[in-house]
């Protein structure tokens, strides 16, 4: 813009509005042909807009709800936690140990029993072989069975149906 000239004589939009170079980037970014800024690609209420971590959390809750239908109120005493990776994973891998998919700890006193599912190891194990939500359910069933001292098949009769032979 030439100093001392008005926007209407400089090829601006007229009407006293500053030209495109004077507007901030955000305002002129997607305002071509008067359309304004574009909205989100997927609205928040659609499943595709959720992150992998949010979907994983939902699958863990669905697994707990499936077990609640089988076992009733007893499952509500358990606490389900999702963690990205196990603590001390680097040391475990360095020693050549297998990466755990989950862990569990029995409750003591007022503290409830806790089942912790590790998101990254479960996702990498399921990659292409098993649906992630079914592997999550199998892992939750295994942990619950170890806490109760039972076989996984007695916890949920559908246990292991998606595992490759």
């Amino acid at each position: 813009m030439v100093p001392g000239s008005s926007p209407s004589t400089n090829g601006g939009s007229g009407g006293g509005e500053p030209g495109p170079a004077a507007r901030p980037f955000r305002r002129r970014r997607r305002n071509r042909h008067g359309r304004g800024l574009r909205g989100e690609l997927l609205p928040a209420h659609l499943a595709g807009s959720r992150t992998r971590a949010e979907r994983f959390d939902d699958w863990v809750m669905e697994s707990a709800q499936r077990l609640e239908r089988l076992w009733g109120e007893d499952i509500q005493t358990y606490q389900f936690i999702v963690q990205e990776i196990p603590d001390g994973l680097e040391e475990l891998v360095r020693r050549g140990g297998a990466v755990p998919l989950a862990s569990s700890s029995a409750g003591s006193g007022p503290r409830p029993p806790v089942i912790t599912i590790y998101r990254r190891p479960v996702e990498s194990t399921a990659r292409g072989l098993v649906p992630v939500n079914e592997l999550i359910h199998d892992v939750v069933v295994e942990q619950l069975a170890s806490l109760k001292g039972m076989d996984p098949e007695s916890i949920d009769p559908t246990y292991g149906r998606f595992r490759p032979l």
Side-chain angles (χ1 to χ4, degrees), residues 59 74 81 85 89 102 105 120 127:
W59 287 331
D74 185 39
I81 297 175
I85 59 172
L89 180 64
S105 63
R120 297 289 180 130
R127 196 170 307 258

Side-chain angles (χ1 to χ4, degrees), residues 59-112:
W59 287 331
V60 170
M61 291 310 298
E62 285 175 16
S63 177
Q65 289 168 351
R66 279 171 63 179
L67 290 172
E68 187 176 0
R69 285 191 294 274
L70 292 171
W71 285 87
E73 301 283 323
D74 185 39
I75 298 301
Q76 291 181 358
T77 61
Y78 290 84
Q79 184 178 15
F80 298 91
I81 297 175
V82 176
Q83 196 173 340
E84 286 294 310
I85 59 172
D87 294 331
L89 180 64
E90 295 83 13
E91 182 62 32
L92 184 66
V93 170
R94 197 174 306 126
R95 288 186 305 198
V99 177
L101 302 179
S103 66
S104 59
S105 63
S108 60
R111 202 182 76 178

Side-chain angles (χ1 to χ4, degrees), residues 8 11 13 24 31 36 38 40 71 78 83 88 91 106 115-116 127 149 158 162 165:
S8 59
S13 58
N31 203 11
R38 299 259 172 132
E40 297 177 36
W71 285 87
Y78 290 84
Q83 196 173 340
E91 182 62 32
I115 296 175
T116 305
R127 196 170 307 258
T158 63
F162 286 98
L165 298 173

Side-chain angles (χ1 to χ4, degrees), residues 7-157:
S8 59
T9 60
N10 190 23
S13 58
E17 206 176 294
R23 285 184 284 165
F25 175 73
R26 194 125 183 76
R27 289 196 52 211
R28 68 185 142 102
R29 185 168 161 236
R30 289 299 296 162
N31 203 11
R32 201 167 123 205
H33 302 292
R35 286 188 219 134
L37 291 175
R38 299 259 172 132
E40 297 177 36
L41 196 57
L42 285 173
H45 68 278
L46 294 178
S49 69
R50 300 188 51 86
T51 64
R52 277 191 240 167
E54 290 170 337
R55 282 192 308 251
F56 194 90
D57 293 345
D58 289 344
W59 287 331
V60 170
M61 291 310 298
E62 285 175 16
S63 177
Q65 289 168 351
R66 279 171 63 179
L67 290 172
E68 187 176 0
R69 285 191 294 274
L70 292 171
W71 285 87
E73 301 283 323
D74 185 39
I75 298 301
Q76 291 181 358
T77 61
Y78 290 84
Q79 184 178 15
F80 298 91
I81 297 175
V82 176
Q83 196 173 340
E84 286 294 310
I85 59 172
D87 294 331
L89 180 64
E90 295 83 13
E91 182 62 32
L92 184 66
V93 170
R94 197 174 306 126
R95 288 186 305 198
V99 177
L101 302 179
S103 66
S104 59
S105 63
S108 60
R111 202 182 76 178
V114 176
I115 296 175
T116 305
I117 293 56
Y118 303 119
R119 184 173 77 85
R120 297 289 180 130
V122 169
E123 286 176 339
S124 65
T125 300
R127 196 170 307 258
L129 301 174
V130 178
V132 177
N133 61 334
E134 291 300 326
L135 180 60
I136 290 169
H137 184 68
D138 285 352
V139 169
V140 169
V141 167
E142 289 170 0
Q143 296 302 313
L144 185 62
S146 71
L147 285 173
K148 288 185 166 282
M150 302 170 74
D151 291 328
E153 292 84 10
S154 60
I155 298 289
D156 186 0

